[in-house]
Amino acid sequence: SKIGFIQRPKNISKDNSKSEDALIHALNKISKKVEIDNVVFLQPTSPFRPKKIIDKALNYFFSSNADSLFSSSLFINHIWRIHKNTLKPINYDFKNRQMDQNKHNQINENGSFYIFKYLKFQKFKNRLFGKIINYNIDPIYSYQVDEAHHLKIIELLIKNINH
């Protein structure tokens, strides 16, 4: 099969450009040549994924009758925010600290991949909409390259993970 390339316009190629704008642009171009039912969006900032994960996630997406799906991993960190110069916990009660093993309801949208229905994406202009589901992957695959120092972490992971 052939691989095609789509040149992204400069106005949506900046550091602060939204992925949705790039998706809208690319999908508009692609839809002129082929019919699109569903979209698998692989974030380039997530450089590696488990083998066959997209096939497994697609099977789950179709069997769940969902509109959109995001890749995820369990999240056990304790998050705080500063509110009016005071630290406040967001996702736990520090006076009643839960063991990490018991935190099964906290999910991190890790940004590795998304799957969504094309026609509904056209309506909502967002990768997540309607019946949203998640697909958990091992947290080791959740690392992203958003800053230069992240490359060192990714390089170490690639050397040490059989992917």
Side-chain angles (χ1 to χ4, degrees):
S1 66
K2 278 185 159 180
I3 296 176
F5 295 91
I6 298 170
Q7 185 69 39
R8 192 188 312 179
K10 287 183 181 181
N11 66 322
I12 60 170
S13 301
K14 299 177 173 138
D15 286 344
N16 62 351
S17 295
K18 295 180 179 180
S19 295
E20 270 72 8
D21 292 336
L23 284 165
I24 291 166
H25 174 260
L27 292 170
N28 284 340
K29 295 259 186 197
I30 294 167
S31 68
K32 291 177 183 171
K33 296 184 179 192
V34 297
E35 186 177 329
I36 304 171
D37 293 324
N38 299 291
V39 176
V40 176
F41 172 41
L42 305 176
Q43 293 256 85
T45 52
S46 297
F48 61 106
R49 295 167 186 86
K51 286 182 179 178
K52 301 188 182 193
I53 197 65
I54 301 304
D55 291 335
K56 292 175 184 176
L58 278 166
N59 287 334
Y60 179 64
F61 177 75
F62 294 133
S63 69
S64 299
N65 198 29
D67 295 308
S68 54
L69 172 149
F70 63 89
S71 61
S72 60
S73 52
L74 291 179
F75 184 78
I76 59 172
N77 295 343
H78 299 112
I79 305 291
W80 292 70
R81 69 182 170 105
I82 298 174
H83 180 70
K84 297 182 181 178
N85 292 325
T86 304
L87 281 168
K88 304 259 183 198
I90 291 176
N91 66 341
Y92 81 111
D93 177 1
F94 67 89
K95 295 174 186 172
N96 186 20
R97 187 178 289 263
Q98 202 179 17
M99 292 179 60
D100 288 349
Q101 301 91 306
N102 295 331
K103 292 182 181 176
H104 298 291
N105 63 344
Q106 295 182 132
I107 295 170
N108 176 38
E109 178 184 336
N110 60 36
S112 182
F113 59 87
Y114 298 84
I115 302 171
F116 49 86
K117 293 180 178 177
Y118 172 68
L119 289 178
K120 288 190 178 182
F121 173 79
Q122 290 294 90
K123 176 183 176 184
F124 292 104
K125 308 290 188 224
N126 192 307
R127 68 189 93 176
L128 297 174
F129 48 80
K131 180 181 176 185
I132 302 169
I133 61 173
N134 67 300
Y135 191 87
N136 275 330
I137 61 176
D138 190 309
I140 202 80
Y141 295 102
S142 297
Y143 288 93
Q144 296 188 50
V145 180
D146 292 320
E147 298 178 30
H149 71 273
H150 294 156
L151 284 172
K152 292 178 183 177
I153 296 168
I154 296 297
E155 287 170 1
L156 288 170
L157 288 171
I158 288 172
K159 286 179 185 175
N160 291 292
I161 294 178
N162 179 10
H163 59 286

